[in-house]
Amino acid sequence: MQLPGPVLIAPDKFKGTLTAPDVAGAIAAGLREERPDVEVRLAPVADGGDGTVDAALAAGYSRMTVPVSGPTGYPVDTEIAYDGETAVVELASASGLALLDPDDLDALGASSDGTGEALLAALSTGARRIVLGVGGSACTDGGAGLLTVLGARVLDVNGNPVAPGGGPLANVGEVDLSGLDPRIAEVEVVLASDVDNPLTGPHGAARVYGPQKGANPEQVELLDSALARYAQAVVAAGGLDVADQPGSGAAGGVGFAALAALGATMRPGVDVVLDLVDFDRRLDGAGLVITGEGALDEQTLHGKAPAGVAARAIEAGIPVVAVAGRCDLTGERLAEAGIDAAYALLDVEPDPQRCMADPAPLLTRLGRTLAQKHL
């Protein structure tokens, strides 16, 4: 078969096993073994959560490693990607749930301080735009820690600084935003997120996501009321009244802080990442697009990276196939997303543990299969 153009490989990570660049490289190896004559382009992507910085680095951004405070205060290293004009900060690697052992969750005390420290580092690059990718947070502090690091003051009813975390926000008396780093006002802040939850209420940050961060029912109620009190104080300090806006509940309320106090605009995460990696230029002239992620399921169809990749490819009239650890979608559902066919690791290795332990060789095998069937 003579392909009308290059193959563009644009997968997301296989969570818990391989980064998106590793996935793309393994698939490419199989394609090249079978069809060394075909041009292959790599464009690893993400959906705005963890992996966003990896995607930017793979696209040629520079790397900055920054020591920050983890969600419970211990030091962690986070990475920032920047290219002179744009800096990319990923909340998951600074204030993420994955940084904590299941036995060390702190639903009331975990904070977003580290993400604020990463934002300060991003400001130091001189970037005119900062992309804040949120998702997978360990905290439900409404972004109070982030704002405090950036120069705001969050005070209790006695005028003392409130302790880190969402629980202590129950005693908020005043928020002062006048000390925010003035550089914030000079940059464009983009909140990359697909979460449409408001800050509080039945669909808010605490009630929907608090339990997975270790909150019991009583703590969920405490966090929800604390966030409501904190939001009122932020608005009284001159912040925007956006607590009910979709996305304010993203990352335990970091979305609220970004929208209310940092002047951020919110965009779908996958669209932000595709623009970061100059996806449309890489797509130009391609004859086939290969995308994928660890599990192709119903969530994939709602703002995940493969769906975003497929949408752009279909708009350009380019066929799409997908790879995954497992595929739970019917052919009809895949077609609705613009994906012609899907190939799973479980198709070539029925043992899920082996698929998780060493997926790269299996992806290379799938790459050869794709070459045989589609090139």
Side-chain angles (χ1 to χ4, degrees):
M1 184 187 303
Q2 182 62 45
L3 200 67
V7 177
L8 178 64
I9 305 177
D12 198 352
K13 64 191 172 297
F14 277 34
K15 194 165 187 175
T17 58
L18 291 177
T19 66
D22 289 338
V23 173
I27 296 169
L31 289 176
R32 289 170 174 144
E33 287 177 12
E34 197 70 26
R35 288 292 301 272
D37 57 311
V38 173
E39 179 187 346
V40 176
R41 301 174 182 171
L42 305 185
V45 296
D47 60 13
D50 53 322
T52 296
V53 166
D54 281 341
L57 293 174
Y61 284 60
S62 297
R63 182 195 312 267
M64 176 190 293
T65 302
V66 182
V68 300
S69 304
T72 54
Y74 67 91
V76 299
D77 284 340
T78 189
E79 292 185 337
I80 293 170
Y82 67 99
D83 70 350
E85 180 66 21
T86 300
V88 185
V89 173
E90 188 178 296
L91 177 143
S93 66
S95 310
L97 190 63
L99 297 173
L100 300 177
D101 291 330
D103 293 336
D104 294 331
L105 303 183
D106 188 353
L108 300 182
S111 82
S112 57
D113 290 39
T115 303
E117 292 161 1
L119 284 174
L120 279 180
L123 288 170
S124 74
T125 68
R128 302 299 304 165
R129 180 173 71 141
I130 296 177
V131 171
L132 174 57
V134 297
S137 74
C139 54
T140 311
D141 73 342
L146 177 153
L147 293 180
T148 299
V149 170
L150 292 176
R153 294 195 302 158
V154 181
L155 306 175
D156 65 19
V157 293
N158 296 315
N160 299 313
V162 169
L169 295 178
N171 296 315
V172 164
E174 178 188 4
V175 171
D176 180 2
L177 300 175
S178 64
L180 278 175
D181 193 311
R183 294 174 295 177
I184 287 288
E186 299 171 1
V187 301
E188 175 191 5
V189 180
V190 178
L191 181 68
S193 175
D194 298 299
V195 170
D196 59 5
N197 303 80
L199 181 64
T200 59
H203 304 292
R207 290 193 174 133
V208 174
Y209 300 106
Q212 71 188 41
K213 302 174 187 182
N216 62 36
E218 293 76 16
Q219 291 172 329
V220 165
E221 295 305 315
L222 171 63
L223 287 167
D224 188 65
S225 62
L227 288 174
R229 179 173 180 139
Y230 159 75
Q232 292 174 350
V234 169
V235 173
L240 299 179
D241 188 1
V242 295
D244 293 332
Q245 180 174 316
S248 284
V254 167
F256 169 78
L259 295 168
L262 304 185
T265 56
M266 182 173 164
R267 290 186 61 207
V270 64
D271 287 341
V272 172
V273 175
L274 292 179
D275 290 346
L276 280 176
V277 304
D278 203 5
F279 183 81
D280 291 342
R281 179 183 63 80
R282 294 163 183 254
L283 182 66
D284 187 38
L288 176 69
V289 172
I290 301 172
T291 188
E293 63 180 344
L296 289 171
D297 53 27
E298 285 296 324
Q299 289 190 358
T300 301
L301 307 181
H302 300 282
K304 294 298 185 179
V309 167
R312 299 233 184 156
I314 294 307
E315 186 176 346
I318 301 168
V320 181
V321 297
V323 297
R326 73 172 199 274
C327 180
D328 299 333
L329 296 173
T330 65
E332 181 179 358
R333 293 294 281 157
L334 289 168
E336 290 173 8
I339 298 172
D340 297 323
Y343 299 83
L345 299 188
L346 288 172
D347 295 338
V348 296
E349 172 49 71
D351 184 344
Q353 291 186 337
R354 290 185 179 178
C355 291
M356 290 287 291
D358 196 15
L362 300 175
L363 283 168
T364 298
R365 285 175 60 183
L366 285 183
R368 292 197 294 268
T369 298
L370 291 173
Q372 294 162 5
K373 293 191 175 184
H374 297 278
L375 304 188

